Amino acid sequence: MSTKQRRLLRFLPVFLSIIFLQNLALSLVGSQGGTFDLAMRTSGEAYLEVKAADAAGANVTTLVFRFNGGLIPLDQARDLEAAGDETNAASAASEATSVFSSLIPDAQGLRDAATSKRQLEMRIRLLGVPVESAAVALAVVLLFSVVKWVQAKQLLELKLKIKSQRGCGD
Amino acid sequence: MRLFLIVMLTMLPVFSLVNYLGSVPRPNDDYFALYTLGAKGTAEHYFPEDQTDILPGENLTWYVGLYNHMTTVRYVMLSFKILNGTMRGPDDVEKVSSTRQAFFEKSRLLMSNETWILPISWSVSNATKSVDGTTINSLLFNGQALSRNVVVSATGGYNFRIVVELWVYDGFTGDFSFPWISNGENNVAWNQVWFNMTRVSLLPS
């Protein structure tokens, strides 16, 4: 190894330390802004899940109430960040994130339950079509049979009447 | 038996159609309704003694209402901005918001058919008069002292305005959007209330 290479190797730990410290500083600065961004992203994800549950026909009143509860610390985080209070802003944003995160599985559960209920209703409705059709057909056939029976009875009575009139005439 | 089969086969498409129509939701005219009311909850008395030329420290109470008629829950944000007469406001034709940054934002998840009433109580806490006109430097808005995105000047103190914009969360972009899509079209909703501050020099600010 040449002298130049040995000199460079001696400074290597210094270079590596500078790079490490720079990345550490960047990650610390980024994480506080990142906490608010994470809260915003999580609120968006939670909203989409609540919306899907609502579209599936679930009762989302409680979810909406909880979601709006999570917006209180989120708004506080926004105001604190604007005022330059990064630490408290991050804390408020974390609180908001945990509220929204807890909503997501609950919304998914409600959506799945509502979807299953809707599918069952659809199956019952589909089964009902041939049953309803058969019921109407049966009613028509019965009505037709009754009409035929009444007509046959009337015809028989008429025949008997004619026969008895002929017998009297004779 | 033949009659039974004929009637049943005739009724099958009829009942299928009836069940299908019963399961398909009716088309809905989706919209938001945004409005700003005065101190008494009506479309008047926006200013003390109906004087649109306000003074620093004079408190104004308004009610901003938003009605969701969009079939499902919607994540919305009301964005409050202060502009003068020359600044570009929201545009109904271009469907764009004002380029001015908001000084106050409030978001909420609204149920379908829900009305959200946001009471706002505000005053100009600091304003200065110069040769060019009046400059608003800070506001007291719902108990918060605000100076970020508030500083605005108007020649002679005429034609300031508070603009309220409705932003709606867009699942595709993952952010709030000023125009929202309903019935296949871009729609926007915003309100503005004009006011003047020509009497600033009459009282110390």
Side-chain angles (χ1 to χ4, degrees):
Chain A
M1 200 181 281
S2 70
T3 317
K4 200 175 179 183
Q5 283 172 332
R6 268 191 241 120
R7 271 197 202 136
L8 279 171
L9 268 176
R10 242 183 270 151
F11 284 109
L12 188 59
V14 176
F15 291 140
L16 287 173
S17 303
I18 291 169
I19 292 165
F20 172 74
L21 286 169
Q22 190 180 40
N23 281 329
L24 182 66
L26 279 170
S27 68
L28 278 172
V29 167
S31 69
Q32 284 166 346
T35 317
F36 181 77
D37 290 341
L38 176 64
M40 279 302 300
R41 266 202 315 276
T42 316
S43 78
E45 287 163 13
Y47 159 62
L48 292 174
E49 293 296 342
V50 172
K51 190 178 171 199
D54 188 34
N59 184 343
V60 296
T61 310
T62 310
L63 291 177
V64 169
F65 182 77
R66 285 167 59 190
F67 187 99
N68 287 325
L71 288 177
I72 296 171
L74 185 64
D75 287 341
Q76 283 170 351
R78 186 185 289 118
D79 295 338
L80 287 165
E81 199 174 79
D85 188 350
E86 299 280 352
T87 311
N88 285 325
S91 172
S94 294
E95 188 188 335
T97 301
S98 68
V99 169
F100 297 129
S101 296
S102 71
L103 269 175
I104 291 170
D106 295 345
Q108 288 168 341
L110 277 180
R111 180 204 63 205
D112 293 342
T115 305
S116 299
K117 187 182 165 194
R118 194 175 268 189
Q119 282 171 347
L120 181 65
E121 282 170 1
M122 195 166 281
R123 272 189 222 118
I124 292 169
R125 212 179 267 137
L126 277 171
L127 277 171
V129 168
V131 169
E132 288 158 5
S133 305
V136 168
L138 189 64
V140 166
V141 166
L142 279 172
L143 183 68
F144 193 73
S145 301
V146 164
V147 165
K148 266 181 88 173
W149 179 79
V150 167
Q151 282 177 341
K153 192 180 167 194
Q154 283 173 345
L155 191 63
L156 186 64
E157 281 171 2
L158 191 64
K159 277 182 182 172
L160 283 171
K161 195 175 174 184
I162 293 167
K163 205 173 180 181
S164 69
Q165 278 175 350
R166 275 192 193 155
C168 286
D170 295 345
Chain B
M1 189 62 187
R2 198 167 69 175
L3 179 64
F4 177 84
L5 283 171
I6 290 168
V7 174
M8 186 171 164
L9 287 171
T10 310
M11 286 293 114
L12 270 173
V14 171
F15 280 112
S16 299
L17 182 64
V18 167
N19 276 292
Y20 170 74
L21 290 173
S23 64
V24 169
R26 284 182 199 170
N28 193 46
D29 189 18
D30 293 342
Y31 63 86
F32 282 107
L34 176 69
Y35 50 92
T36 303
L37 302 175
K40 295 185 179 178
T42 57
E44 54 185 356
H45 307 308
Y46 291 92
F47 303 94
E49 294 169 5
D50 294 328
Q51 167 66 272
T52 57
D53 196 347
I54 66 173
L55 289 163
E58 220 166 19
N59 196 64
L60 289 85
T61 301
W62 296 345
Y63 296 90
V64 178
L66 179 63
Y67 170 60
N68 174 17
H69 195 268
M70 297 286 284
T71 312
T72 65
V73 293
R74 288 294 168 140
Y75 188 14
V76 298
M77 181 172 69
L78 292 176
S79 186
F80 290 79
K81 302 179 178 181
I82 186 164
L83 285 72
N84 59 27
T86 60
M87 286 171 167
R88 184 179 168 162
D91 193 321
D92 285 331
V93 175
E94 300 289 325
K95 313 286 185 195
V96 293
S97 67
S98 167
T99 51
R100 177 89 160 141
Q101 293 295 309
F103 64 81
F104 181 79
E105 288 171 332
K106 190 80 177 168
S107 50
R108 189 172 170 102
L109 183 59
L110 280 180
M111 300 273 295
S112 176
N113 281 327
E114 184 184 352
T115 299
W116 173 30
I117 304 287
L118 176 66
I120 58 169
S121 176
W122 71 279
S123 63
V124 174
S125 51
N126 184 277
T128 49
K129 184 114 176 160
S130 67
V131 175
D132 300 321
T134 302
T135 301
I136 293 174
N137 300 305
S138 61
L139 301 175
L140 187 63
F141 197 91
N142 278 1
Q144 279 181 266
L146 302 172
S147 56
R148 193 176 68 105
N149 301 324
V150 161
V151 179
V152 61
S153 300
T155 308
Y158 289 103
N159 298 330
F160 290 104
R161 49 181 165 156
I162 297 284
V163 172
V164 186
E165 293 173 345
L166 171 63
W167 291 64
V168 182
Y169 190 87
D170 184 340
F172 289 106
T173 61
D175 203 353
F176 288 98
S177 170
F178 181 62
W180 75 87
I181 295 175
S182 68
N183 305 321
E185 289 178 359
N186 276 342
N187 295 276
V188 296
W190 57 281
N191 290 169
Q192 66 183 359
V193 182
W194 293 89
F195 64 96
N196 302 320
M197 286 199 84
T198 65
R199 300 179 288 158
V200 173
S201 60
L202 297 176
L203 290 172
S205 57

